């Protein structure tokens, strides 16, 4: 391994420069104006896979954004590792809060700033560059490798399920490796064994055909903004419990042993509050912060829109009000079923004076991995070699719909190795990636590939 590690060190600057190039491509999946850039990014990544030495790389078109597939299968008899990630990124607004433009990556201190730096281009490159080091140095890899890098993760992976079931043979693997999660904290390399799922809804309340004069109609016309606010207020009790009937029916309770394990993690609540700027943490009664975020469901309003929001005043009763509401789910909750329960409850809360329409925007299943497979020990050792620190086993509150889907199809271990930091601003202005972790991640990935060669994956 010495020559591989040396190669990674010698190429440190080039590996950073190449990451900068892909971050420059504004592959914002949610923006129709950027669909050309999303496609350009897919082709760019495909070329980079070939340049790294993969023997095959291909673009798969979907009704949405394309997927990039790559492979190197030159190690017969050795395990096959499927590496998943996403090349699409979140929108950049509010743009004026970025210190440097989101698609003109720049380095300040130890950090590389730019949209997609940590979520997820940097973490995809960690594995690609480790593989490149083997192939350029030895001409061969310790294991077989397949890449599936999608372009719709940030918008719910709508077309991924169809692709996965249609291409099952192509994706056969002994193990899945994903780097799209944060570490618990600086210097705590982490293996994530659980993710929350998601159900994302949009609710629109309408009353009159158009805005009404609030002097002529105030007191008799239902106000959609008020009605919607009322509905939202009834979705949760003051205990933090979600009020939708049946919502908790399938929630898997946290076992005592896991509660103890979570409580003993090096998690610093004060730092958690500092990094977010929260004045206090609140939530469901009876659970710790990590339990609330990782192992209990939640419900949040992502955005609301109604009436006059310009400067000054205008006296109207708005004709409509809209809210985007998402629920984070835990095993064994089912996103489609939760969408139905939500819909029923909201319709039940709505007064007859208004019309309520509800749309189910997307859903993704939660995931909880059995982590007793030998691959997890290899993953832990790889992280410890790469970071020189003990690794932690954690869960996360975010969602990656691919994980539960691929697990259902392959029934193989899914190893989620996180190289991001919790304060690297993914989805926010000034997203960044710690370049030390980028380097350590590449080294860890190299040790992982090497270690997996010796594991019986059957
Ligand atoms: N990388 C994140 C997922 C993530 C975030 C895992 C935080 C762990 C902690 C991913 O890119 C993401 O943002 N996922 C979306 C999925 C959604 C659009 C279906 C999410 O969690 O909001
Ligand atoms: Mn991501
Ligand atoms: Mn994301």
């Amino acid at each position: 391994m010495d020559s591989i590690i040396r190669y990674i060190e010698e190429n440190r600057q080039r590996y950073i420069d190449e990451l900068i190039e892909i971050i420059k491509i504004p592959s914002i999946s949610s923006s129709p104006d950027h669909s050309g850039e999303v496609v350009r990014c897919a082709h760019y990544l495909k070329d980079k896979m070939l340049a790294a030495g993969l023997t095959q790389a291909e673009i798969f078109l979907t009704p949405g954004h394309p997927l990039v597939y790559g492979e190197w299968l030159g190690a017969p008899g050795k395990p096959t590792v499927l590496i998943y990630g996403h090349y699409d990124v979140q929108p950049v607004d509010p743009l004026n809060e970025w210190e440097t433009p989101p698609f003109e990556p720049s380095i300040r201190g130890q950090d590389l700033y730019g949209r997609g730096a940590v979520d997820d281009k940097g973490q995809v490159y960690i594995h690609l560059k480790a593989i490149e080091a083997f192939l350029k140095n030895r001409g061969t890899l310790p294991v077989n490798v397949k890449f599936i890098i999608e372009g719709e993760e940030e918008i719910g992976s709508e077309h991924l399920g169809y692709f996965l079931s249609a291409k099952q043979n192509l994706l056969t693997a002994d193990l899945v490796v994903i780097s799209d999660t944060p570490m618990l904290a600086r210097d705590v390399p982490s293996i994530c064994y659980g993710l929350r799922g998601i159900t994302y809804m949009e609710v629109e309340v309408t009353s009159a055909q158009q805005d009404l004069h609030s002097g002529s109609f105030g007191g008799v016309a239902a106000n959609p903004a008020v009605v919607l606010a009322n509905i939202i207020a009834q979705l949760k009790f003051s205990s933090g419990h979600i009020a939708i009937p049946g919502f908790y029916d399938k929630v898997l309770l946290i076992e005592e042993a896991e509660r103890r394990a979570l409580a003993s993690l090096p998690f610093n609540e004060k730092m958690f509050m500092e990094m977010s700027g929260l004045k206090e943490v609140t939530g469901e009664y009876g659970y710790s912060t990590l339990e609330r975020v990782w192992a209990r469901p939640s419900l949040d309003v992502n955005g609301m829109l109604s009436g006059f929001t310009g400067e000054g005043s205008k006296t109207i009763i708005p004709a409509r009000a809209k809210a985007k509401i998402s629920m984070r789910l835990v095993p064994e909750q089912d996103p489609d079923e939760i969408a139905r329960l939500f819909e029923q409850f909201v319709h039940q809360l709505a007064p007859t004076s208004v019309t309520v329409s509800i749309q189910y925007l997307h859903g993704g299943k939660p995931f909880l991995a059995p982590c007793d497979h030998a691959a997890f020990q290899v993953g832990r050792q790889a992280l410890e070699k790469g970071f020189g620190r003990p690794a932690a086993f954690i869960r996360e509150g975010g969602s990656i719909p691919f994980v539960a889907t691929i697990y259902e199809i392959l029934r193989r271990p899914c190893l989620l190795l996180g190289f991001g930091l919790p304060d690297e601003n993914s989805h926010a202005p000034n997203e960044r990636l710690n370049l030390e972790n980028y380097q350590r991640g590449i080294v860890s990935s190299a040790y992982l590939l090497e270690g997996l060669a010796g594991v019986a994956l059957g």
Side-chain angles (χ1 to χ4, degrees):
M1 280 299 277
D2 289 355
S3 60
I4 303 293
I5 305 305
R6 202 173 327 116
Y7 183 92
I8 294 170
E9 266 152 27
E10 284 166 5
N11 286 274
R12 183 189 170 114
Q13 192 55 48
R14 180 171 65 84
Y15 279 0
I16 294 171
D17 294 341
E18 292 185 7
L19 175 57
I20 287 177
E21 289 309 307
I22 193 169
I23 296 174
K24 285 183 185 167
I25 307 174
S27 48
I28 306 172
S29 51
S30 67
S31 156
D33 291 349
H34 287 79
S35 60
E37 297 291 351
V38 175
V39 172
R40 184 160 77 86
C41 192
H43 284 272
Y44 182 89
L45 182 58
K46 177 195 149 201
D47 291 345
K48 288 297 154 186
M49 285 181 178
L50 293 172
L54 297 190
T55 44
Q56 209 196 313
E58 215 178 313
I59 304 268
F60 286 104
L61 298 176
T62 75
H65 300 306
L67 289 130
V68 187
Y69 172 82
E71 66 177 32
W72 186 94
L73 303 176
K78 294 291 180 190
T80 299
V81 180
L82 176 65
I83 300 171
Y84 164 87
H86 61 94
Y87 68 85
D88 65 322
V89 300
Q90 285 275 324
V92 295
D93 52 287
L95 188 57
N96 63 347
E97 288 182 26
W98 286 78
E99 280 169 32
T100 49
F103 298 112
E104 293 170 31
S106 76
I107 297 174
R108 290 196 287 290
Q110 287 203 327
D111 297 316
L112 172 63
Y113 286 78
R115 175 58 89 225
V118 60
D119 188 12
D120 181 36
K121 288 171 174 172
Q123 299 202 69
V124 168
Y125 262 45
I126 281 175
H127 296 294
L128 189 59
K129 295 301 159 193
I131 284 163
E132 179 176 332
F134 278 107
L135 292 174
K136 291 282 151 72
N137 204 252
R138 285 188 192 165
T140 172
L141 282 175
V143 290
N144 300 295
V145 168
K146 295 175 174 181
F147 272 97
I148 185 79
I149 310 297
E150 70 156 314
E152 297 192 310
E153 198 276 342
E154 298 291 10
I155 49 174
S157 300
E158 188 185 341
H159 301 102
L160 187 70
Y162 172 78
F163 174 82
L164 294 181
S165 34
K167 300 278 177 187
Q168 280 197 34
N169 294 340
L170 191 66
L171 299 176
T172 311
D174 299 293
L175 171 76
V176 183
V177 169
I178 298 166
S179 292
D180 191 23
T181 47
M183 303 168 27
L184 181 64
R186 195 169 287 271
D187 293 324
V188 186
S190 308
I191 296 183
C192 174
Y193 63 91
L195 292 166
R196 288 198 291 187
I198 189 166
T199 292
Y200 203 117
M201 310 295 293
E202 188 171 292
V203 179
E204 187 171 38
V205 176
T206 50
S207 61
Q209 275 163 19
Q210 70 281 307
D211 294 349
L212 300 172
H213 192 294
S214 66
S216 312
F217 292 91
V220 291
N223 185 319
V226 176
V227 170
L228 182 58
N230 254 309
I231 291 174
I232 290 169
Q234 292 178 75
L235 295 176
K236 274 196 209 178
F237 300 117
S238 55
S239 60
H241 222 68
I242 293 157
I244 301 169
F247 185 86
Y248 288 94
D249 284 1
K250 297 202 172 152
V251 167
L252 205 68
L253 291 177
I254 323 167
E255 284 175 21
E256 259 331 294
E258 190 179 17
R259 293 193 94 162
R260 280 196 300 273
L262 297 190
S264 70
L265 285 171
F267 172 71
N268 185 328
E269 187 141 307
K270 201 168 152 262
M271 261 166 66
F272 178 81
M273 286 166 63
E274 266 169 27
M275 118 199 148
S276 53
L278 285 172
K279 223 168 89 190
E280 65 185 42
V281 288
T282 66
E284 193 184 2
Y285 179 79
Y287 293 93
S288 72
T289 297
L290 286 184
E291 289 169 349
R292 284 170 175 166
V293 178
W294 292 353
R296 297 294 297 168
S298 61
L299 179 150
D300 276 288
V301 174
N302 297 266
M304 291 168 80
L305 190 70
S306 184
F308 178 70
T309 54
E311 250 179 86
S313 67
K314 183 182 183 208
T315 46
I316 54 157
I317 296 170
R320 59 190 75 247
K322 223 181 192 181
K324 294 185 186 275
I325 301 173
S326 66
M327 290 153 279
R328 296 284 173 173
L329 314 180
V330 300
E332 307 286 337
Q333 287 179 297
D334 176 74
D336 299 348
E337 192 180 330
I338 293 297
R340 278 196 299 277
L341 295 175
F342 177 92
E343 225 169 310
Q344 277 169 19
F345 188 50
V346 169
H347 278 304
Q348 194 185 312
L349 294 175
T352 50
S353 53
V354 298
T355 305
V356 173
S357 68
I358 303 173
Q359 265 193 71
Y360 178 20
L361 297 187
H362 61 75
K365 286 186 183 169
F367 175 72
L368 194 58
C371 41
D372 47 4
H373 192 279
F376 283 83
Q377 287 320 312
V378 175
R380 164 182 286 199
Q381 284 159 10
L383 289 178
E384 296 187 349
K385 284 181 190 155
F387 283 76
R389 308 272 175 149
F393 278 79
I394 65 171
R395 285 167 77 162
E396 272 299 337
S399 312
I400 310 173
F402 170 84
V403 185
T405 312
I406 197 73
Y407 184 70
E408 275 175 14
I409 293 175
L410 295 179
R411 289 276 153 201
R412 304 302 309 165
C414 295
L415 201 52
L416 281 79
L417 306 177
F419 299 110
L421 291 176
D423 64 351
E424 285 182 329
N425 299 333
S426 59
H427 296 203
N430 303 308
E431 178 178 348
R432 58 182 181 248
L433 173 69
N434 180 289
L435 290 172
E436 209 53 53
N437 288 343
Y438 182 55
Q439 183 73 8
R440 290 171 178 150
I442 298 170
V443 172
S444 304
S445 172
Y447 279 116
L448 175 72
L449 297 169
E450 179 83 358
L452 289 174
V455 170
L457 286 167

